[in-house]
Amino acid sequence: MKSKFFMVAAMAAILVGCGEQNSNKLKMITEATFPPYEFLRGQEIVGIDVEICRAVANKLGREFQAETVDFDSVIPAVISGKADLAAAGITVTEDRKKNVDFSIPYVKTGIVVIYKKSNPFKDVKQLKGKKIGVQSGTTSETFVLEQLKQEPERSKSPAEACASLKSGRVEFVIADIDPAKNCVKGEPDLAISDFITSEEYAVAIKKGQSELLKTINETIAELKKSGQLQKWIDQFTKESDALKDK
Ligand code: GLN
């Protein structure tokens, strides 16, 4: 009796295992507070990264699903296999390359300093010892830790970091250019610096999946060549700008 139960349990476990492995769903993990790359349109997660991943799913003939978590949980979700691919304006870094494989890049960008015009930013040296807001888990956080050798003030989202600059809780914020532009929009007292780093965004997946990586790279190359990627950049920039204006 007991052994029969175990057999049924074991078979059920195998079936569940197979179900996950062969699941027809391609699951994207992201952090939907990062327009125009990913943001919420009502309940729906939309943006440039979402369309790139949907295009990968279409190419594979798989159903597509996107889920949002905090930025510092995005890469762990592909490492653990909870999601198939991560796209969240993720910068390719040597450190991250130790844990995940990256696709070819799809955007060249970087981080900037957001400051109050009454307290102008001149150079990186000036940031030393100051209270600096960043989003947790980002390259901006790494910049403060490694270049300035100090602890940043961490926030869950770029908008939260921006709010702490406005309220005076921090003196400067470091962020990617797109959230920085959102932060200063309609705020005549705020400004952004030139790029202080040069970065590239790519899709991240669990290591060692050469077939999936190949498909992602082919998809990105096609989207660049056809001009579709640029169309999405324009479309979602327009849509997310309009959201901010409301
Ligand atoms: N590009 C930055 C990074 O990868 C921030 C991305 C984000 O906040 N979504 O760390």
Side-chain angles (χ1 to χ4, degrees):
M1 189 61 202
K2 210 170 166 191
S3 70
K4 201 170 169 194
F5 169 78
F6 277 121
M7 253 183 57
V8 172
M11 272 172 65
I14 289 167
L15 283 174
V16 168
C18 284
E20 271 173 14
Q21 282 256 306
N22 300 333
S23 155
N24 203 37
K25 269 195 191 137
L26 186 80
K27 190 165 163 193
M28 167 199 192
I29 196 85
T30 189
E31 185 262 328
T33 72
F34 198 70
Y37 293 91
E38 38 271 324
F39 56 102
L40 294 176
R41 182 198 287 149
Q43 300 282 345
E44 195 191 354
I45 306 167
V46 297
I48 301 156
D49 289 342
V50 182
E51 293 311 318
I52 293 173
C53 294
R54 196 194 312 278
V56 173
N58 288 344
K59 205 175 177 67
L60 291 167
R62 288 169 69 177
E63 233 182 276
F64 177 68
Q65 188 191 348
E67 192 184 317
T68 179
V69 292
D70 287 342
F71 187 72
D72 47 15
S73 302
V74 169
I75 287 184
V78 288
I79 296 173
S80 70
K82 270 191 213 143
D84 301 296
L85 67 184
I90 304 172
T91 300
V92 180
T93 68
E94 288 311 311
D95 234 28
R96 290 172 179 166
K97 275 192 199 166
K98 291 179 197 151
N99 299 314
V100 287
D101 284 339
F102 279 104
S103 69
I104 56 168
Y106 56 87
V107 170
K108 273 193 198 308
T109 179
I111 59 176
V112 295
V113 179
I114 317 173
Y115 58 93
K116 285 192 173 148
K117 285 181 185 163
S118 57
N119 180 32
F121 167 79
K122 292 179 201 82
D123 58 30
V124 167
K125 273 182 272 159
Q126 173 200 1
L127 300 176
K128 196 109 185 82
K130 303 281 160 56
K131 272 199 169 177
I132 302 179
V134 300
Q135 182 184 10
S136 283
T138 60
T139 45
S140 298
E141 177 183 69
T142 313
F143 186 91
V144 177
L145 290 170
E146 290 180 1
Q147 306 293 320
L148 304 175
K149 307 216 179 326
Q150 66 192 50
E151 283 296 316
E153 299 287 319
R154 297 172 176 85
S155 295
K156 288 259 180 225
S157 69
E160 211 180 297
C162 177
S164 57
L165 175 67
K166 289 183 196 160
S167 72
R169 210 170 68 83
V170 299
E171 205 171 316
F172 297 97
V173 164
I174 301 182
D176 288 43
I177 183 76
D178 295 281
K181 279 185 186 161
N182 279 330
C183 177
V184 302
K185 200 159 178 250
E187 301 287 342
D189 301 341
L190 300 182
I192 54 181
S193 72
D194 292 335
F195 286 119
I196 57 169
T197 62
S198 164
E199 307 188 6
E200 288 181 321
Y201 295 162
V203 176
I205 62 170
K206 192 182 181 130
K207 272 189 171 293
Q209 304 182 90
S210 53
E211 275 306 304
L212 179 58
L213 194 61
K214 197 168 151 240
T215 308
I216 300 170
N217 286 343
E218 283 170 7
T219 308
I220 292 174
E222 284 164 17
L223 292 171
K224 281 185 183 174
K225 199 164 167 230
S226 68
Q228 182 60 58
L229 180 62
Q230 191 55 51
K231 276 191 199 154
W232 285 332
I233 294 174
D234 298 342
Q235 174 197 330
F236 287 109
T237 303
K238 217 170 141 193
E239 179 176 346
S240 54
D241 280 356
L243 279 178
K244 176 94 206 254
D245 290 338
K246 266 188 204 165

